[in-house]
């Protein structure tokens, strides 16, 4: 994440990047690990354990077009709010249909009241216009985060969604593990002369064995998450309550 944010000029202290097309995707995807050249050492499993992430920095020039002349609100409701970045931010794991991804949110502060918060705080998100919140593909509560695609599928089927999601997540992990093993095997085959030209990398490598890939739930590796039916039900109920509240406000506004 740090490397990607630095390349976009979004990491504190990084050089600002001018985009001549004035267009950039908020989605960032990891490089294809099989294309990384490994000679002196076996490939690191870290390259195969990366997940996509979505940049959520409403205060940054990256999203200036959405702001127009609007002022970002303070989470405390200051009348003359001055919202600015207050640090690096944090990643938050999002449950998706085909796997997990991260939402990387700003850490914000109001220069008037000195209050600090994260840009994925549900209380603050409710204060933003639809132009902002419509970009988010995740439904966020204080403890849970789920992709809207999961919610759509849950409404459509409603059966064994937790089991299906966990199967897909574990399948993605197993495929990444297999890709890592195949890449390691490719190096061994090259050293053995399988491709008609014996390589000498085995004599210059510092390590003779690849690092272990690790288990699905390893926090320093794949960092796979567990999803239960209770988790999905809580998210669904939260979304229903949120929609009911929005509809109530809309009807009250029309009556006035």
């Amino acid at each position: 994440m740090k490397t990607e944010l630095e390349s976009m000029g979004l990491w504190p202290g990084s050089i600002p990047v001018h985009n001549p097309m004035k267009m950039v995707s908020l989605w960032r995807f990891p490089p294809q690990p099989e294309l990384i050249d490994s000679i002196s050492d076996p490939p690191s499993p870290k390259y195969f354990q990366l997940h996509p992430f979505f940049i959520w920095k409403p205060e940054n020039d990256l999203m200036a077009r959405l702001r127009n002349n609007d002022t970002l609100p303070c989470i405390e409701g200051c009348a003359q709010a001055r919202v600015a970045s207050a640090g690096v931010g944090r990643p938050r794991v999002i449950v998706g249909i085909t796997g997990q991804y991260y939402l990387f949110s700003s850490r914000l502060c109001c220069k008037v009241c000195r209050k600090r918060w994260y840009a994925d705080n549900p209380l603050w998100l409710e204060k933003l216009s639809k132009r902002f919140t419509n970009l988010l593909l995740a439904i966020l509560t204080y403890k849970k985060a789920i992709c809207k695609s999961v919610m759509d599928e849950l409404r459509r089927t409603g059966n064994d969604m937790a089991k299906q999601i966990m199967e897909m997540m574990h399948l993605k992990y197993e495929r990444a593990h297999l890709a890592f093993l195949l890449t390691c095997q490719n190096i061994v085959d090259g050293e053995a002369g399988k491709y008609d030209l014996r390589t000498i990398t085995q004599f210059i490598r510092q390590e003779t064995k690849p690092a272990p890939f690790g288990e699905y739930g390893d926090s320093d590796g794949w960092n796979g998450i567990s999803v239960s039916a209770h988790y999905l039900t809580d998210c669904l109920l939260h979304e229903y309550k949120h929609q009911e509240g929005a509809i109530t406000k809309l009807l009250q506004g029309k009556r006035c």
Side-chain angles (χ1 to χ4, degrees):
M1 287 185 183
K2 181 175 182 291
T3 301
E4 283 292 308
L5 292 172
E6 284 179 335
S7 69
M8 299 176 71
L10 299 177
W11 191 266
S14 59
I15 300 175
V17 176
H18 175 64
N19 187 351
M21 295 299 292
K22 300 296 182 183
M23 293 183 295
V24 67
S25 174
L26 297 176
W27 281 102
R28 312 308 294 173
F29 295 92
Q32 191 67 33
E34 291 90 340
L35 300 181
I36 297 175
D37 190 12
S38 300
I39 297 178
S40 59
D41 290 300
S44 170
K46 299 296 184 184
Y47 293 118
F48 296 81
Q49 296 168 343
L50 300 174
H51 301 283
F53 70 97
F54 185 83
I55 300 171
W56 182 241
K57 296 178 72 68
E59 85 291 355
N60 193 271
D61 289 342
L62 184 68
M63 300 174 68
R65 287 189 176 185
L66 290 173
R67 288 201 305 271
N68 293 327
N69 294 323
D70 291 346
T71 300
L72 290 177
C74 170
I75 197 169
E76 292 291 335
C78 293
Q80 301 294 328
R82 293 173 57 199
V83 177
S85 176
V88 174
R90 68 176 180 187
R92 188 174 183 182
V93 182
I94 309 296
V95 179
I97 284 288
T98 59
Q100 67 192 59
Y101 62 89
Y102 290 96
L103 177 71
F104 191 88
S105 301
S106 305
R107 192 181 185 207
L108 303 175
C109 71
C110 177
K111 293 187 176 181
V112 176
C113 68
R114 304 297 181 181
K115 182 71 176 180
R116 292 173 180 261
W117 68 94
Y118 287 102
D120 62 356
N121 187 310
L123 180 61
W124 188 67
L125 292 176
E126 291 181 358
K127 297 177 180 291
L128 298 181
S129 69
K130 282 293 184 181
R131 294 196 307 278
F132 280 100
T133 54
N134 191 53
L135 281 176
L136 280 175
L137 296 181
I139 296 170
L140 304 172
T141 70
Y142 285 101
K143 294 183 178 181
K144 299 178 175 64
I146 185 172
C147 186
K148 291 178 181 177
S149 62
V150 175
M151 193 64 67
D152 294 340
E153 191 66 15
L154 184 60
R155 290 193 186 99
R156 190 180 70 85
T157 61
N159 296 322
D160 296 327
M161 274 299 297
K163 181 180 179 181
Q164 293 176 30
I165 290 174
M166 288 306 301
E167 287 177 351
M168 290 300 298
M169 286 189 169
H170 278 277
L171 180 59
K172 189 175 182 180
Y173 159 79
E174 290 168 2
R175 286 173 174 167
H177 191 182
L178 176 60
F180 170 68
L181 294 176
L182 291 175
T183 300
C184 294
Q185 185 62 47
N186 183 63
I187 295 175
V188 174
D189 290 343
E191 293 171 349
K194 186 174 181 179
Y195 307 121
D196 298 329
L197 183 64
R198 183 183 293 271
T199 64
I200 62 171
T201 55
Q202 58 182 318
F203 302 110
I204 63 175
R205 278 198 281 108
Q206 298 178 4
E207 296 291 338
T208 58
K209 292 183 179 181
F213 194 79
E215 300 298 325
Y216 172 82
D218 289 350
S219 59
D220 192 35
W222 185 259
N223 196 32
I225 58 176
S226 179
V227 182
S228 66
H230 181 70
Y231 185 102
L232 296 181
T233 301
D234 279 355
C235 291
L236 183 61
L237 292 175
H238 174 270
E239 181 65 5
Y240 276 138
K241 291 178 181 178
H242 181 76
Q243 289 181 354
E244 287 177 0
I247 293 173
T248 301
K249 289 181 181 180
L250 180 61
L251 293 176
Q252 289 175 345
K254 287 184 177 180
R255 288 168 186 167
C256 294

